[in-house]
Amino acid sequence: MASERILELLRRPVDADEYTEIRELWKTHSIAEDNRDLPGLISTLTEDCVYEVRGFDDARWEGHEGATRFYTELLTAFPDIHFDLTSIVIGPQGVCEEARVTATHEGRWLEHEPTGERLEWRNAIFFPWDPSARKFKGEMVYTDLAFPAA
């Protein structure tokens, strides 16, 4: 049986104006990320946002400070990171995207020392929508990233 939280998500009404708002905010977030504009990116997130990387070290960052740390660490570890979007779903619950990611591992990422290797992996990322704040509540990242053997 579905939990109350899941039922609430399923019952969210579809509204064309809100859909447009979610899509436009996702575009703002993505453009800011591509431009390495951390203040612009953080402006799309709730104060209590949560960033999680699941399936790979299961790391977690909380709040604007945590989201800033997440992006600073990610962009330091992979300064040339590039996301090629392969799928996207937008609805009243938020955004889900899938991307092929390429990057050179030039700095420490989570528990992994830099390898200097050019890596390629896939991510699925959920951007949960907060209908009251009209912003994203963070990101849940699922990845198949595997580092080369040391």
Side-chain angles (χ1 to χ4, degrees):
M1 172 158 267
S3 71
E4 282 302 314
R5 185 181 70 80
I6 296 302
L7 290 173
E8 183 275 324
L9 289 171
L10 287 170
R11 291 176 179 143
R12 283 190 184 167
V14 177
D15 175 270
D17 291 336
E18 184 177 45
Y19 171 87
T20 300
E21 184 179 358
I22 293 167
R23 186 183 68 221
E24 292 304 313
L25 192 66
W26 175 84
K27 287 167 43 178
T28 297
H29 181 96
S30 296
I31 291 167
E33 184 173 339
D34 286 348
N35 291 332
R36 308 308 194 241
D37 172 12
L38 289 182
L41 193 152
I42 298 301
S43 74
T44 67
L45 303 170
T46 62
E47 291 282 334
D48 63 346
C49 64
V50 174
Y51 271 69
E52 294 180 284
V53 177
R54 296 181 176 169
F56 177 77
D57 292 345
D58 289 341
R60 180 181 172 98
W61 298 261
E62 297 181 5
H64 282 180
E65 186 270 330
T68 300
R69 265 194 357 266
F70 168 82
Y71 278 106
T72 300
E73 292 168 11
L74 177 70
L75 297 174
T76 299
F78 303 104
D80 63 347
I81 196 166
H82 179 74
F83 296 84
D84 284 317
L85 196 62
T86 57
S87 186
I88 188 166
V89 176
I90 302 172
Q93 299 84 1
V95 176
C96 179
E97 70 173 43
E98 180 186 45
R100 185 178 64 82
V101 185
T102 54
T104 306
H105 186 204
E106 295 185 10
R108 183 177 176 85
W109 176 242
L110 303 175
E111 299 300 319
H112 301 274
E113 295 300 328
T115 64
E117 298 282 334
R118 181 85 176 150
L119 304 174
E120 182 175 323
W121 67 95
R122 295 179 75 82
N123 278 349
I125 305 173
F126 294 95
F127 297 80
W129 176 248
D130 183 323
S132 298
R134 317 306 285 179
K135 294 184 177 188
F136 296 116
K137 295 170 68 167
E139 296 183 28
M140 292 179 288
V141 180
Y142 294 84
T143 183
D144 69 0
L145 174 60
F147 285 98

